[in-house]
Amino acid sequence: MFSLFRPKQQIYPSGSLSSEAWRRLRKNKLAMISIVFLTILSLLCFLAPLLPIRAWDAIEFVEEPIPPSAAYWFGTDGLGRDLFSRVLYGGRVSLSVGIIASSMAVTIGVLYGATSGFFAGKIDRWMMRFVDFMYSIPSYFVIIMIQVVFQVHNILFLFAMLSLFQWLGSARVVRSQILSLRERDFVTALHASGISSAGVILRHMIPNVLGIVAVYATLTVPGIMLQEAFLSFIGIGFQARGSDGVMKDIPSWGSLLGQGVATFETTPWLLIFPAVLFSMTLLAISFLGDGLRDALDPNLRK
Amino acid sequence: MLRFVIRRLLSAIPMIIAVMTACFFIIRMAPGSPFDRDSVELSAEVKANLRAQYGFDKPLYEQYLIFMKNGLQGEFGESYSYRGQSVSEIIREALPVSATIGFLSLTVSLLIGVTLGAICAVRQNSIIDYFTVGFAALGRSIPPMVLAPILVEFLAVRLGWLPAAGWGNGAWNYLIGPVLCLALYDITTIARLSRGSLLEILRSKHLITARAKGLPETSVIIIHALREAMLPVVTYLGPAAAGILVGTVVIEQVFNIPGLGRYWVSAAVNRDYTLLLGILTLNAVLLTIMNTLSDIAVGLLDPRIRMR
């Protein structure tokens, strides 16, 4: 099976993260540090339930919020909840939002853009008109409205909502790439050999734009994470069952930031720890995206 | 050129109508009504009265026609949650505040962003370049809701240079904080965009011609290269204006500014349909105007586009 794909990769090296691009990426120190940082952080966050830390909603009686100390590395909030475990559990929400919602958005964008670019002409014009229309719908209003009205706290639904308006950019990028690809000789050859349109798009054209898509996907992640942070910040975020079985607001980095901002003057650590971690994550992701772009840049290819 | 502008303006109108229609039906298709809230239980009679007062008893298509007819004239009726105030009054009061901040922050980000980007492109791989690229990466990664309170803490509370919050009728010292917070993200994006496109253009052939004519390097860059390099930046300004509308929610909350931002979210949360539709329509109109202006500006900058 694998050997079947080999020759194609050699003919169109822009298809995937080839070994050459990987070699170039490895030379990029900033990108490698980012990968290491993101890996460690995700491990910590996703394995948080297995770590010997307090539960994210465990309340302890405290006179006042405890500043960072040996017992509470990041301090506690006014209810005596350990900020360190809240930040890790919050990271679980924020990171999975970033990964899952942006993969959904990019997948939709790629399929839409590829279809539009492949058929070109009238279909393309109408499909792109729809993208313009979606662009001029104020996305945040719609998301807030949907959240307020339907009150759905199913996590998949929330992912779908966050990606609802984020596929537009990748659709545009992929469309313009496909538009230029379809004029190439190998596509004519594919048509001549009687392969169906869907086959040409899915098996031959999309693999050719995957490099750009990978870069674009990486750059979509921070946008979606900021969007989630904004929604949690204004109090329209995620809910889940706590360890006592009651529905409560899950901490995400956005909602932690919101609580931190509210009491910044008296308890600055409640803002500083989540803020630093959030910003470092966004920074690492965008360094990784830039690194990927440089590694895959066809202008640098021999 | 005039034909290009007129054609572009005409194509903006159906877009506004389409967005208004979509917003109306998204809101109306939602189950329930703004009058059944769980906090106050209203009697059936009161509810029926309220429904009649706001025209809810009419068939949906009639409500839609009324909304479109009045909406296109800028009338949206009375707000549900701010009783006794019409939506257009609320907008008239709050819009200038938000618009001032938004306009200033776009101007500031354009000026600083383009300057930084140009310096970086001309002095590629210099210390200034590395510094700006790093600053741009950092600026993109700090969300405004974190930046704003920190800025207040240092510039206002610790150093006492600026007032901590409030509007002060738009006095300049009240404006600095919010405008800076709002502009930071756009500064970094514009700097990155103009650096990238300028770097590409500086290598192109028509600049060699310009240099060969004996033009000094500054005019080569400012007159010939920068004009072309502005294209992606100008295209970005449309979406940037949309982002500013969202950004003001956070900024106005932190700086306690009486702008549109606070109505924005409360209208959605309280299901204040008239206010919500009013703000949504305003938003659609503003966005379309911004996009149209940026398209026209691109046409002015690049003759190839207006020929199409």
Side-chain angles (χ1 to χ4, degrees):
Chain A
M1 189 65 197
F2 191 67
S3 61
L4 273 179
F5 286 100
R6 264 258 163 80
K8 204 174 79 198
Q9 257 188 355
Q10 281 164 356
I11 300 170
Y12 313 115
S14 61
S16 64
L17 196 65
S18 64
S19 57
E20 201 189 333
W22 172 239
R23 201 173 43 95
R24 227 175 349 236
L25 187 65
R26 266 206 322 232
K27 275 197 210 138
N28 185 334
K29 272 190 205 124
L30 225 47
M32 289 319 285
I33 294 174
S34 303
I35 290 182
V36 172
F37 171 77
L38 289 173
T39 314
I40 294 175
L41 185 71
S42 332
L43 281 178
L44 277 178
C45 288
F46 286 106
L47 299 179
L50 305 176
L51 298 179
I53 53 175
R54 295 172 186 84
W56 57 273
D57 55 345
I59 295 175
E60 278 167 49
F61 179 74
V62 283
E63 295 277 327
E64 52 187 15
I66 304 169
S69 61
Y72 300 94
W73 290 355
F74 288 2
T76 73
D77 62 8
L79 293 172
R81 292 178 296 191
D82 181 24
L83 186 63
F84 182 68
S85 50
R86 285 177 75 73
V87 164
L88 286 194
Y89 278 93
R92 225 153 62 117
V93 174
S94 293
L95 288 175
S96 39
V97 163
I99 296 164
I100 298 174
S102 35
S103 338
M104 283 166 84
V106 170
T107 310
I108 300 172
V110 168
L111 291 178
Y112 192 92
T115 315
S116 179
F118 179 82
F119 290 107
K122 210 174 212 168
I123 295 179
D124 176 51
R125 260 203 304 285
W126 279 104
M127 285 179 81
M128 282 300 120
R129 184 79 45 95
F130 179 68
V131 170
D132 289 342
F133 166 73
M134 287 294 282
Y135 258 121
S136 45
I137 287 186
S139 53
Y140 283 93
F141 283 106
V142 176
I143 292 175
I144 294 172
M145 270 301 291
I146 296 177
Q147 259 302 64
V148 168
V149 170
F150 293 101
Q151 303 269 341
V152 183
H153 294 292
N154 179 339
I155 210 137
L156 271 179
F157 180 78
L158 291 167
F159 287 148
M161 233 171 43
L162 286 170
S163 52
L164 192 61
F165 290 91
Q166 295 283 346
W167 57 272
L168 306 169
S170 46
R172 276 193 175 164
V173 172
V174 169
R175 170 203 170 244
S176 63
Q177 292 290 316
I178 297 280
L179 268 182
S180 65
L181 265 185
R182 72 192 287 274
E183 307 299 332
R184 299 257 292 270
D185 289 341
F186 79 94
V187 176
T188 321
L190 288 170
H191 283 304
S193 52
I195 296 172
S196 69
S197 301
V200 176
I201 294 178
L202 290 176
R203 288 220 207 97
H204 299 277
M205 285 179 135
I206 289 182
N208 263 298
V209 297
L210 275 188
I212 285 177
V213 168
V215 174
Y216 207 86
T218 327
L219 298 176
T220 312
V221 176
I224 287 199
M225 287 177 71
L226 279 171
Q227 193 176 353
E228 186 275 328
F230 174 79
L231 290 177
S232 299
F233 178 79
I234 61 172
I236 302 175
F238 294 86
Q239 281 195 329
R241 254 166 241 296
S243 48
D244 49 1
V246 181
M247 289 297 275
K248 21 185 130 163
D249 285 340
I250 285 193
S252 78
W253 285 342
S255 63
L256 290 176
L257 291 180
Q259 290 154 16
V261 167
T263 58
F264 179 59
E265 271 162 50
T266 49
T267 54
W269 61 89
L270 286 183
L271 177 64
I272 289 168
F273 286 109
V276 167
L277 221 55
F278 187 51
S279 298
M280 277 173 71
T281 308
L282 293 189
L283 202 60
I285 294 172
S286 63
F287 281 148
L288 181 60
D290 288 347
L292 272 181
R293 191 189 49 213
D294 293 344
L296 292 163
D297 192 338
N299 294 332
L300 296 173
R301 207 180 288 277
K302 273 170 234 153
Chain B
M1 187 62 213
L2 190 65
R3 261 185 62 197
F4 170 77
V5 173
I6 292 174
R7 207 173 54 210
R8 198 59 200 75
L9 283 177
L10 283 182
S11 73
I13 295 170
M15 197 56 107
I16 292 176
I17 293 180
V19 172
M20 281 174 77
T21 308
C23 291
F24 179 87
F25 284 105
I26 289 172
I27 288 173
R28 282 307 150 91
M29 273 189 308
S33 85
F35 308 119
D36 26 65
R37 266 192 245 142
D38 26 37
S39 50
V40 246
E41 197 53 55
L42 299 170
S43 72
E45 212 172 299
V46 176
K47 264 190 199 172
N49 274 339
L50 277 172
R51 293 177 75 86
Q53 188 191 339
Y54 289 104
F56 265 51
D57 46 353
K58 298 195 181 73
L60 193 62
Y61 75 92
E62 208 172 302
Q63 290 181 39
Y64 169 68
L65 289 180
I66 292 173
F67 160 69
M68 286 307 276
K69 186 170 146 271
N70 294 336
L72 288 174
Q73 296 166 5
E75 279 304 323
F76 301 96
E78 193 183 316
S79 155
Y80 298 165
S81 47
Y82 301 88
R83 286 287 158 80
Q85 263 185 303
S86 81
V87 171
S88 34
E89 269 169 30
I90 295 179
I91 290 179
R92 216 174 298 137
E93 225 169 83
L95 178 65
V97 174
S98 299
T100 312
I101 298 179
F103 178 75
L104 281 177
S105 114
L106 267 188
T107 318
V108 166
S109 38
L110 200 57
L111 284 178
I112 301 182
V114 169
T115 316
L116 277 180
I119 295 175
C120 288
V122 176
R123 305 245 175 283
Q124 198 192 357
N125 297 332
S126 68
I127 292 174
I128 293 188
D129 186 28
Y130 285 131
F131 180 77
T132 310
V133 171
F135 163 75
L138 202 64
R140 264 180 297 153
S141 311
I142 300 178
M145 53 249 200
V146 173
L147 182 71
I150 291 177
L151 212 67
V152 168
E153 175 70 17
F154 281 99
L155 291 184
V157 180
R158 295 262 167 92
L159 295 171
W161 290 351
L162 299 172
W167 177 231
N169 279 323
W172 65 270
N173 52 344
Y174 283 88
L175 285 172
I176 293 179
V179 168
L180 270 187
C181 285
L182 207 51
L184 182 74
Y185 185 86
D186 286 334
I187 290 178
T188 59
T189 314
I190 290 176
R192 216 159 43 105
L193 278 176
S194 46
R195 175 180 180 271
S197 68
L198 199 56
L199 272 181
E200 220 163 87
I201 290 158
L202 282 176
R203 296 194 201 112
S204 61
K205 291 205 175 98
H206 66 277
L207 285 195
I208 300 178
T209 317
R211 287 196 191 104
K213 282 194 301 191
L215 284 178
E217 190 64 21
T218 21
S219 24
V220 170
I221 289 165
I222 293 177
I223 299 174
H224 292 273
L226 213 52
R227 172 182 176 145
E228 203 179 333
M230 281 305 89
L231 289 175
V233 175
V234 171
T235 322
Y236 170 72
L237 283 183
I244 279 200
L245 227 75
V246 175
T248 47
V249 176
V250 175
I251 300 295
E252 286 175 9
Q253 198 176 325
V254 174
F255 286 94
N256 194 17
I257 294 169
L260 263 186
R262 56 179 174 160
Y263 295 110
W264 201 100
V265 176
S266 80
V269 174
N270 296 330
R271 306 183 71 174
D272 187 341
Y273 288 171
T274 43
L275 184 56
L276 193 56
L277 279 174
I279 298 180
L280 282 173
T281 309
L282 176 76
N283 182 46
V285 171
L286 285 180
L287 256 191
T288 320
I289 291 177
M290 282 308 290
N291 277 328
T292 311
L293 283 182
S294 92
D295 273 6
I296 292 175
V298 168
L300 280 174
L301 285 171
D302 189 349
R304 284 168 302 185
I305 288 176
R306 58 174 188 260
M307 292 312 288
R308 260 187 247 145

